Amino acid sequence: NLSRPHINLGKSYADVGLRQMALDQYRKAIELPDGPNRRDHYLAHYSMGLIYKSLKDHNKAMEHFLKAVALEPRYPPAYTYLGILKLEQGENGKALDYFLKALAHEVNSQQERNYAGLVLLRQNKLENAIKQFQKSLKANPNDQAYILTHLGAAYQGKGELESALKCFKKVVGINHK
Protein backbone atom coordinates (compact mmCIF):
# COMPACT_ATOMS: atom_id res chain seq x y z
CA ASN A 1 0.00 0.00 0.00
CA LEU A 2 1.70 3.15 -1.21
CA SER A 3 -0.64 5.62 0.45
CA ARG A 4 -0.36 4.35 4.05
CA PRO A 5 3.02 5.99 4.81
CA HIS A 6 1.62 9.36 3.67
CA ILE A 7 -1.47 8.85 5.82
CA ASN A 8 0.69 8.02 8.83
CA LEU A 9 2.94 11.03 8.26
CA GLY A 10 -0.12 13.23 7.82
CA LYS A 11 -1.52 12.02 11.13
CA SER A 12 1.79 12.76 12.83
CA TYR A 13 1.77 16.29 11.44
CA ALA A 14 -1.86 16.77 12.49
CA ASP A 15 -1.10 15.51 16.00
CA VAL A 16 1.47 18.28 16.50
CA GLY A 17 -0.72 20.97 14.95
CA LEU A 18 0.92 21.17 11.53
CA ARG A 19 -2.39 21.03 9.69
CA GLN A 20 -1.25 22.29 6.29
CA MET A 21 1.58 19.76 6.16
CA ALA A 22 -0.88 17.07 7.22
CA LEU A 23 -3.29 18.06 4.44
CA ASP A 24 -0.42 17.91 1.92
CA GLN A 25 0.40 14.34 2.98
CA TYR A 26 -3.24 13.25 2.82
CA ARG A 27 -3.53 14.74 -0.68
CA LYS A 28 -0.42 12.81 -1.75
CA ALA A 29 -1.91 9.62 -0.35
CA ILE A 30 -5.13 10.13 -2.32
CA GLU A 31 -3.26 10.88 -5.54
CA LEU A 32 -1.36 7.58 -5.43
CA PRO A 33 -2.80 4.76 -7.53
CA ASP A 34 -2.95 1.96 -4.94
CA GLY A 35 -4.94 -0.34 -7.19
CA PRO A 36 -7.24 -2.61 -5.21
CA ASN A 37 -6.14 -0.97 -1.95
CA ARG A 38 -7.42 2.40 -3.09
CA ARG A 39 -10.27 1.89 -0.67
CA ASP A 40 -7.75 2.74 2.09
CA HIS A 41 -7.98 6.32 0.91
CA TYR A 42 -11.04 6.65 3.15
CA LEU A 43 -8.62 7.29 6.05
CA ALA A 44 -7.02 10.19 4.21
CA HIS A 45 -10.42 11.69 3.39
CA TYR A 46 -11.64 11.19 6.96
CA SER A 47 -8.50 12.81 8.34
CA MET A 48 -8.83 15.73 5.95
CA GLY A 49 -12.42 16.12 7.11
CA LEU A 50 -11.23 16.39 10.71
CA ILE A 51 -8.74 19.09 9.82
CA TYR A 52 -11.23 21.10 7.78
CA LYS A 53 -13.75 20.81 10.62
CA SER A 54 -11.14 22.16 13.05
CA LEU A 55 -10.54 25.02 10.60
CA LYS A 56 -14.33 25.70 10.58
CA ASP A 57 -14.51 24.93 6.84
CA HIS A 58 -17.61 22.80 7.16
CA ASN A 59 -18.20 22.47 3.41
CA LYS A 60 -14.80 20.92 2.80
CA ALA A 61 -15.13 18.81 5.95
CA MET A 62 -18.50 17.50 4.72
CA GLU A 63 -17.03 16.79 1.29
CA HIS A 64 -14.22 14.65 2.73
CA PHE A 65 -16.38 12.79 5.25
CA LEU A 66 -18.78 11.93 2.41
CA LYS A 67 -15.86 10.66 0.31
CA ALA A 68 -14.70 8.58 3.27
CA VAL A 69 -18.06 6.80 3.63
CA ALA A 70 -18.31 6.38 -0.15
CA LEU A 71 -15.00 4.50 -0.05
CA GLU A 72 -15.69 2.67 3.22
CA PRO A 73 -19.42 2.55 4.02
CA ARG A 74 -18.81 0.71 7.31
CA TYR A 75 -16.65 3.41 8.94
CA PRO A 76 -18.66 4.79 11.90
CA PRO A 77 -16.45 7.79 12.79
CA ALA A 78 -17.08 9.42 9.40
CA TYR A 79 -20.85 9.04 9.86
CA THR A 80 -20.53 10.50 13.34
CA TYR A 81 -18.82 13.63 12.07
CA LEU A 82 -21.33 13.97 9.24
CA GLY A 83 -23.99 13.88 11.93
CA ILE A 84 -22.16 16.46 14.05
CA LEU A 85 -21.89 18.81 11.06
CA LYS A 86 -25.58 18.42 10.28
CA LEU A 87 -26.44 18.95 13.95
CA GLU A 88 -24.40 22.18 13.94
CA GLN A 89 -26.31 23.28 10.83
CA GLY A 90 -29.63 22.63 12.58
CA GLU A 91 -30.52 19.71 10.32
CA ASN A 92 -31.62 17.39 13.12
CA GLY A 93 -33.29 14.78 10.93
CA LYS A 94 -30.25 14.33 8.70
CA ALA A 95 -27.97 14.35 11.75
CA LEU A 96 -30.00 11.55 13.32
CA ASP A 97 -29.76 9.53 10.09
CA TYR A 98 -25.97 9.75 10.20
CA PHE A 99 -25.76 8.86 13.90
CA LEU A 100 -27.99 5.83 13.32
CA LYS A 101 -25.80 4.75 10.38
CA ALA A 102 -22.78 4.95 12.68
CA LEU A 103 -24.63 2.88 15.29
CA ALA A 104 -25.54 0.29 12.66
CA HIS A 105 -21.82 -0.45 12.32
CA GLU A 106 -20.78 0.13 15.94
CA VAL A 107 -23.70 -0.95 18.11
CA ASN A 108 -22.10 -0.23 21.50
CA SER A 109 -20.84 3.25 20.72
CA GLN A 110 -21.67 5.59 23.55
CA GLN A 111 -20.80 8.75 21.61
CA GLU A 112 -23.20 8.02 18.76
CA ARG A 113 -25.94 7.05 21.23
CA ASN A 114 -25.46 10.35 23.06
CA TYR A 115 -25.75 12.32 19.83
CA ALA A 116 -28.75 10.31 18.67
CA GLY A 117 -30.40 10.87 22.05
CA LEU A 118 -29.64 14.58 21.89
CA VAL A 119 -31.23 14.91 18.43
CA LEU A 120 -34.27 12.94 19.58
CA LEU A 121 -34.51 15.20 22.64
CA ARG A 122 -34.45 18.27 20.38
CA GLN A 123 -37.15 16.69 18.20
CA ASN A 124 -39.23 16.07 21.33
CA LYS A 125 -39.15 12.32 20.69
CA LEU A 126 -38.62 11.81 24.37
CA GLU A 127 -39.27 8.08 24.72
CA ASN A 128 -36.72 7.28 22.01
CA ALA A 129 -34.25 9.78 23.49
CA ILE A 130 -34.60 8.10 26.88
CA LYS A 131 -33.87 4.70 25.32
CA GLN A 132 -30.71 6.00 23.63
CA PHE A 133 -29.43 7.65 26.82
CA GLN A 134 -30.16 4.51 28.87
CA LYS A 135 -28.25 2.35 26.37
CA SER A 136 -25.42 4.88 26.44
CA LEU A 137 -25.21 4.65 30.23
CA LYS A 138 -24.90 0.87 29.99
CA ALA A 139 -22.25 1.10 27.28
CA ASN A 140 -20.11 3.64 29.14
CA PRO A 141 -20.82 4.21 32.81
CA ASN A 142 -17.74 6.47 33.06
CA ASP A 143 -19.43 9.45 31.38
CA GLN A 144 -22.49 9.48 33.58
CA ALA A 145 -22.78 13.21 34.35
CA TYR A 146 -23.19 14.21 30.70
CA ILE A 147 -25.59 11.39 29.89
CA LEU A 148 -27.63 11.76 33.07
CA THR A 149 -28.08 15.49 32.45
CA HIS A 150 -29.70 14.80 29.09
CA LEU A 151 -31.60 11.79 30.39
CA GLY A 152 -32.99 13.98 33.18
CA ALA A 153 -34.03 16.61 30.64
CA ALA A 154 -35.85 13.96 28.61
CA TYR A 155 -37.67 12.68 31.68
CA GLN A 156 -38.51 16.26 32.65
CA GLY A 157 -39.91 16.98 29.20
CA LYS A 158 -42.01 13.84 29.42
CA GLY A 159 -43.38 14.91 32.79
CA GLU A 160 -41.66 12.12 34.71
CA LEU A 161 -40.35 14.48 37.35
CA GLU A 162 -39.30 11.84 39.90
CA SER A 163 -37.07 10.15 37.33
CA ALA A 164 -35.69 13.52 36.24
CA LEU A 165 -34.95 14.42 39.85
CA LYS A 166 -33.06 11.15 40.39
CA CYS A 167 -30.90 11.87 37.33
CA PHE A 168 -30.12 15.43 38.38
CA LYS A 169 -29.30 14.36 41.95
CA LYS A 170 -26.87 11.77 40.60
CA VAL A 171 -25.21 14.47 38.45
CA VAL A 172 -24.77 16.72 41.48
CA GLY A 173 -23.29 13.79 43.42
CA ILE A 174 -20.89 12.95 40.60
CA ASN A 175 -19.75 16.57 40.19
CA HIS A 176 -19.01 16.92 43.91
CA LYS A 177 -16.75 13.87 44.23
Side-chain angles (χ1 to χ4, degrees):
N1 185 334
L2 300 173
S3 62
R4 191 61 71 142
H6 290 286
I7 293 170
N8 293 339
L9 183 56
K11 180 169 178 2
S12 295
Y13 283 141
D15 289 345
V16 296
L18 299 172
R19 294 184 281 200
Q20 190 55 53
M21 293 175 79
L23 287 171
D24 291 342
Q25 289 303 312
Y26 296 138
R27 280 189 202 99
K28 286 179 183 176
I30 292 166
E31 291 168 359
L32 289 170
D34 279 1
N37 293 325
R38 185 171 176 157
R39 190 181 69 106
D40 284 348
H41 291 177
Y42 77 93
L43 285 174
H45 283 292
Y46 171 75
S47 300
M48 290 176 81
L50 291 176
I51 291 174
Y52 283 120
K53 184 177 183 324
S54 75
L55 294 171
K56 308 276 189 250
D57 189 338
H58 291 178
N59 290 332
K60 282 189 178 180
M62 181 72 69
E63 172 189 333
H64 286 286
F65 291 135
L66 287 169
K67 286 180 180 178
V69 297
L71 291 167
E72 179 49 82
R74 296 168 306 191
Y75 191 58
Y79 287 114
T80 299
Y81 276 99
L82 286 166
I84 291 169
L85 288 170
K86 289 299 179 184
L87 193 61
E88 290 173 354
Q89 295 170 352
E91 295 182 42
N92 292 333
K94 193 66 178 165
L96 182 60
D97 290 344
Y98 284 126
F99 295 135
L100 294 177
K101 282 182 182 179
L103 281 168
H105 301 293
E106 196 172 322
V107 177
N108 291 323
S109 176
Q110 175 247 348
Q111 180 183 16
E112 284 79 9
R113 288 215 183 280
N114 285 340
Y115 280 121
L118 188 58
V119 171
L120 291 164
L121 182 61
R122 287 182 179 181
Q123 293 177 330
N124 209 32
K125 296 178 181 175
L126 302 176
E127 192 60 42
N128 289 333
I130 289 167
K131 288 177 185 174
Q132 290 297 333
F133 291 132
Q134 288 172 334
K135 288 178 182 178
S136 184
L137 274 174
K138 288 178 185 171
N140 187 359
N142 296 329
D143 197 14
Q144 287 191 0
Y146 175 83
I147 302 165
L148 286 169
T149 298
H150 289 101
L151 181 58
Y155 279 130
Q156 195 171 35
K158 199 171 172 210
E160 295 182 21
L161 301 182
E162 287 295 319
S163 296
L165 188 60
K166 287 179 186 177
C167 290
F168 295 138
K169 281 183 175 180
K170 284 182 183 177
V171 172
V172 170
I174 291 168
N175 288 335
H176 285 98
K177 284 185 179 179

